[in-house]
Amino acid sequence: MTLDVDDKPRRSRSARIDDVAARAGVSTATVDRVLNGRPGVRALTVQRVLRAAGEIGYLIDEARPASALRPLRLAFLLPAGDNRFLGMLGRLIGGSQAQLASFNMRARVDHIESFRPELLAQHLRAVGREVDGIAFMALEHPTVREAVDQLAERGVPTVTLISDIANTRRVAYVGLDNRSAGRTAGYLIGRFIGNRPAKVAMIAGSLSYRAHEEREMGFLHLFQDLFPQIQVVGLREGHDEEARNYRQTKTLLAQHPDLAGIYNIGGGPEGIARALKEAGRQQEVVFVGHGLTPATRDLLIEGAMDAVITQNPQAALMDCVSIFANLRAGLPATQGVERPRTEIVLRENLP
C-alpha cells in the first residue's frame, strides 16, 4: 500500500524533552541522559527513549545525532580451546575496533572454558553488568537459559552466535541453519562414496552445543532419505581437540576397517587427518568438516580433506553489529539482516 503525503509521519518542530519523556514513559532527566550519551541508563530504556524521540521528530530536528551518544559497549563470549575457526573469529573481532568505532561501538572478546555451562552462565551475568549487549556461542543448558532471561530483564540484549539456544529471550541468532549444514555434509559424503553399501561415522565437538546436535540430526536423516545403503556407525565426541580426535579416529578405523567416510561436526580436523594418513587411508576415506581456516585449507590442498562447510566470519561480525545498531535505534533486531549462507569449499574452488 502506498502512503499519501498526508499519511507520512511528520516532524514536530515544537517537540520538547517533556514530550519525549511522556511518550517513552520515563523522566526528563532520563531523556537528557540518553540524548547526551551519559551512562547509567539501561539499554532497554535507551532504545525506548530513542524510539520515542524519533517518532515525534525530536531526535531528528533538535537532539544531538546518534554519533554523539557514548559508544555502545559489546562483549563477544567465545569458547576457549583449539578450535581454529573460533580462534580466527576472536582475532577478527579484536582487530576490528576501528571498523566498530565507525558504528559508534566498541567490543571486547572473552574466552570461556569450553563445554562448561555453569561457567558460561556466570560469565554472562557478570559481563552483563559492564556492557550494553552480548554475543555468545551458546551451550544448551538450563543455567545458560536462565542467565539469558535475567539479562533480558535487566535490558541487556543477547545474540547467539554459531550455536543457538532454545526457549530464551535472546534477541537473535547469527549462524548457519545447522540441520541443513548436516544434511549438506551427508549429501557430499554420499555422493563421493557413490551407490554402494558403506559405513560412515561422525565426530562432534560436544552435543551440548545445539549446533552440533542439529548437524548430527540433519546428517542422519539425509542418509535415511537418500542413501539407505550407507550405514552411519556412530557418533563420538572429540571436544574440538586435535589429540582426542586423533584417538577417536584411530578407534573408528580399528573397529571398522571398511570405514568409507567421516564427518567432523566440530573442530580439531588435524587429528582426524593425522590418523587417516598414518593408516594410509587418506585417499580412501571421504573426510568432510566445518570452518575454513589455514589448517583446513592446507588439508584440502593436500587432499586429506574433501570438503569444508563454512560461513564468512566477517559477515557474522557485521550481522551482530547490524542487530545491535537496530536495537539502539529502536528497530526490529533483524531488520535488514540476512541469514548467513552456507558455503561449500573444495580444493578446486579455494578462495
Side-chain angles (χ1 to χ4, degrees):
M1 181 177 67
T2 303
L3 290 175
D4 294 328
V5 173
D6 290 343
D7 293 328
K8 294 178 181 178
R10 290 176 178 157
R11 299 178 179 180
S12 173
R13 297 290 176 185
S14 59
R16 300 175 303 172
I17 283 182
D18 290 351
D19 302 317
V20 179
R23 191 173 188 91
V26 299
S27 68
T28 56
T30 297
V31 173
D32 183 70
R33 277 183 174 278
V34 171
L35 297 181
N36 287 285
R38 290 195 288 272
V41 184
R42 294 194 311 163
L44 198 63
T45 304
V46 170
Q47 296 164 23
R48 193 161 69 243
V49 169
L50 292 176
R51 184 188 299 115
E55 287 171 352
I56 67 174
Y58 184 93
L59 183 65
I60 298 171
D61 292 335
E62 299 178 25
R64 297 175 67 180
S67 59
L69 298 172
R70 67 169 173 80
L72 198 66
R73 301 162 302 170
L74 305 178
F76 288 79
L77 309 186
L78 300 177
D82 298 329
N83 188 303
R84 302 292 182 89
F85 184 82
L86 295 177
M88 185 172 66
L89 177 61
R91 290 190 296 274
L92 172 66
I93 296 166
S96 298
Q97 297 307 313
Q99 185 178 17
L100 290 168
S102 68
F103 294 92
N104 200 29
M105 299 179 186
R106 63 172 182 260
R108 58 189 266 192
V109 181
D110 291 5
H111 295 280
I112 315 300
E113 186 178 344
S114 301
F115 317 114
R116 293 278 305 279
E118 295 85 359
L119 191 61
L120 175 58
Q122 178 184 341
H123 209 79
L124 281 166
R125 287 191 290 267
V127 172
R129 301 185 187 99
E130 303 169 1
V131 301
D132 305 303
I134 300 173
F136 72 108
M137 187 168 169
L139 284 165
E140 191 69 74
H141 194 273
T143 60
V144 179
R145 285 194 287 270
E146 182 69 14
V148 169
D149 289 344
Q150 288 173 353
L151 288 171
E153 286 292 333
R154 287 159 47 188
V156 180
T158 56
V159 173
T160 51
L161 183 62
I162 299 175
S163 188
D164 201 6
I165 186 169
N167 303 317
T168 66
R169 294 173 62 187
R170 62 97 172 117
V171 297
Y173 162 63
V174 173
L176 300 179
D177 178 337
N178 284 296
R179 190 158 184 151
S180 172
R183 289 184 64 88
T184 300
Y187 185 78
L188 288 169
I189 290 176
R191 293 292 290 177
F192 275 122
I193 290 174
N195 187 23
R196 63 181 175 87
K199 294 179 181 178
V200 300
M202 296 174 284
I203 297 178
S206 170
L207 296 185
S208 297
Y209 287 123
R210 186 178 178 187
H212 291 196
E213 184 180 22
E214 290 176 343
R215 290 172 188 176
E216 178 206 7
M217 288 190 295
F219 188 81
L220 288 171
H221 290 166
L222 186 283
F223 280 102
Q224 292 169 4
D225 291 346
L226 299 182
F227 302 103
Q229 74 278 13
I230 296 179
Q231 179 186 1
V232 182
V233 295
L235 171 71
R236 295 172 176 268
E237 290 184 316
H239 287 189
D240 290 349
E241 296 174 9
E242 180 180 343
R244 189 173 296 197
N245 279 1
Y246 170 77
R247 293 192 298 270
Q248 298 283 32
T249 305
K250 294 268 290 184
T251 301
L252 282 168
L253 293 173
Q255 292 177 344
H256 306 284
D258 55 346
L259 191 71
I262 294 178
Y263 173 33
N264 186 34
I265 295 175
E270 303 96 323
I272 298 172
R274 181 157 62 96
L276 291 174
K277 291 175 192 174
E278 287 183 4
R281 302 289 307 282
Q282 70 270 27
Q283 300 301 322
E284 301 171 15
V285 177
V286 179
F287 178 18
V288 173
H290 281 267
L292 184 63
T293 67
T296 53
R297 172 185 287 271
D298 289 345
L299 293 175
L300 284 170
I301 289 173
E302 68 184 61
M305 283 190 83
D306 295 283
V308 170
I309 298 168
T310 193
Q311 64 187 97
N312 187 317
Q314 178 69 40
L317 170 59
M318 295 314 299
D319 284 346
C320 291
V321 167
S322 297
I323 288 165
F324 287 118
N326 281 342
L327 292 173
R328 184 164 209 176
L331 300 171
T334 57
Q335 181 170 307
V337 179
E338 297 182 0
R339 167 157 281 189
R341 291 181 298 176
T342 300
E343 300 177 19
I344 301 171
V345 182
L346 311 172
R347 181 173 63 178
E348 307 306 324
N349 72 339
L350 273 167

